[in-house]
Amino acid sequence: MRFFLTLIACCCVVTAASGASDPLISPSAKTAVGAAAGAASTSSGASASGSSSARKLSERDKEAQAEADLSVRIQERLAIMRANQQARVAAAAKAKKQAEAKAAAAAVEAAKPKISNVWSYEGEFGPANWGSINPAWARCGSGNRQSPIDIRDGMKVELEQITFDYHPSSFNVTDNGHTVQVMVGSGNYITVGNRTYELIQFHFHRPSEERINGKGYEMVVHLVHKDSSGHIAMLALLLERGKAQPVIQTVWNNLPLEKYDTAVPAIALDPADLLPARRDYYTFMGSMTTPPCEENVLWMVMKEPVQASPAQMALFSRLYPLNARPTQPSNGRIIKESN
């Protein structure tokens, strides 16, 4: 359409120019032709101006659209950055919370009492610390009836005699790291106070854990008995230097070659051969003398010592120079002794 308008306008201009110089055309015709030519020229100019405005408007739209697109991209990028920042903050908070929880757990664990089953007769794991090494051993440090004790001021009474029913039995010998322990076959009993106890094992301490009116002995043998209800009765035989003791020699002959090993001899042993000729004794309620130091143990300490040779004692002293718990306060407990 613009093409046709421009063409007409050009024709009018040419005609007008031609008419102006043509003597055959009247002045009024020349005027009309000139007017037509002017109109055509004006129309052509307006058309060109409109086209330029349209182009400018289109460029502005493109710029506006480009700005809008850029703004959208910027917003998207900012949203991603904010999300990443929030994720980093959340991750840092989670890591901090986990670290705090771990530190709190470590603090709780550190506050717990250290539990161990390791004990000895000297040093860090010695008797003074048994009560704190393991909570299950608390009685070792705070019990009311702990053993051994220095036996003093016993009340002399008519004590019931201990009835011994010991027989030759099979046995095994273990070096358990604390002492030499002899497990005895079943069928060996004592009866005292109308209660019968079976001999389970016997073992040795050096020096003697028990004292009599302040006097200690070079060694002691503890014979451990239990009744059908699990009550414990301990019989203590004090050892003094003298002639060789046959049961002890049988045990020494069958010692294992390594600590924590067990020897199982093919011979029998009669625990009755350990007993002194006199059967008078002291008695009181006490405890086991090794962890966990359980109490309510019936103690019977024979008054007459048993002899063992210096060589027999020396052999044990090479294995265990010291394996005795120190004496404990008697705490006013009743101690009886036979007349």
Side-chain angles (χ1 to χ4, degrees):
M1 185 66 180
R2 290 178 181 174
F3 174 78
F4 289 113
L5 289 175
T6 305
L7 182 61
I8 292 169
C10 290
C11 291
C12 289
V13 172
V14 172
T15 304
S18 176
S21 60
D22 188 349
L24 296 178
I25 299 175
S26 64
S28 58
K30 291 180 180 178
T31 302
V33 171
S41 176
T42 301
S43 176
S44 176
S47 176
S49 175
S51 177
S52 176
S53 297
R55 284 196 302 272
K56 290 181 179 179
L57 181 60
S58 177
E59 290 175 358
R60 283 198 298 273
D61 289 343
K62 289 180 180 179
E63 291 175 357
Q65 185 61 45
E67 290 177 358
D69 292 344
L70 179 60
S71 178
V72 169
R73 289 196 296 273
I74 290 173
Q75 293 302 318
E76 290 175 347
R77 182 60 181 167
L78 288 174
I80 292 172
M81 292 174 66
R82 283 193 293 269
N84 290 340
Q85 179 64 19
Q86 291 173 355
R88 286 194 292 271
V89 170
K94 182 179 179 180
K96 182 180 179 182
K97 187 175 182 180
Q98 290 176 339
E100 290 174 347
K102 187 175 180 181
V108 170
E109 190 65 26
K112 289 181 180 179
K114 302 302 183 211
I115 297 176
S116 173
N117 291 319
V118 177
W119 61 273
S120 69
Y121 286 100
E122 296 179 286
E124 179 184 359
F125 299 100
N129 296 319
W130 287 353
S132 59
I133 291 173
N134 188 322
W137 302 347
R139 286 182 178 175
C140 296
S142 60
N144 294 320
R145 292 292 181 268
Q146 288 295 294
S147 296
I149 62 171
D150 184 358
I151 300 171
R152 296 174 180 267
D153 303 321
M155 297 186 299
K156 292 189 176 182
V157 297
E158 292 293 334
L159 284 177
E160 178 183 353
Q161 288 294 307
I162 304 169
T163 301
F164 291 92
D165 186 14
Y166 287 168
H167 308 282
S169 304
S170 62
F171 69 101
N172 61 55
V173 183
T174 300
D175 184 339
N176 65 15
H178 299 295
T179 186
V180 174
Q181 178 176 282
V182 182
M183 301 297 296
V184 181
S186 61
N188 295 280
Y189 301 95
I190 61 171
T191 300
V192 62
N194 296 318
R195 182 171 288 178
T196 298
Y197 304 84
E198 183 174 18
L199 177 62
I200 305 301
Q201 53 101 341
F202 62 88
H203 57 268
F204 302 83
H205 294 280
R206 182 181 184 274
S208 68
E209 293 186 311
E210 296 73 27
R211 290 177 176 270
I212 309 297
N213 294 317
K215 179 183 177 180
Y217 290 79
E218 190 161 349
M219 289 182 65
V220 66
V221 185
H222 286 167
L223 293 90
V224 184
H225 304 74
K226 282 188 180 181
D227 70 5
S228 58
S229 299
H231 297 106
I232 299 175
M234 296 285 289
L235 182 70
L237 305 178
L238 301 166
L239 298 183
E240 65 180 6
R241 289 179 175 245
K243 62 183 180 180
Q245 213 293 322
V247 174
I248 293 176
Q249 190 60 48
T250 299
V251 173
W252 281 191
N253 292 344
N254 291 279
L255 286 173
L257 297 178
E258 297 285 348
K259 282 189 181 297
Y260 311 107
D261 278 355
T262 297
V264 184
I267 59 175
L269 174 150
D270 190 349
D273 292 338
L274 277 170
L275 300 174
R278 287 179 53 214
R279 304 293 169 87
D280 295 335
Y281 63 98
Y282 302 93
T283 187
F284 56 91
M285 295 302 294
S287 74
M288 300 296 285
T289 63
T290 58
C293 308
E294 61 264 44
E295 295 185 345
N296 298 317
V297 174
L298 174 64
W299 276 89
M300 294 162 287
V301 180
M302 303 303 285
K303 284 187 171 184
E304 182 180 347
V306 174
Q307 290 187 356
S309 70
Q312 287 176 329
M313 292 185 174
L315 189 150
F316 186 82
S317 69
R318 293 209 317 264
L319 296 175
Y320 294 101
L322 172 67
N323 72 331
R325 185 185 186 188
T327 56
Q328 309 298 305
S330 62
N331 291 327
R333 74 190 73 182
I334 295 174
I335 302 172
K336 293 181 180 182
E337 61 175 299
S338 51
N339 287 321

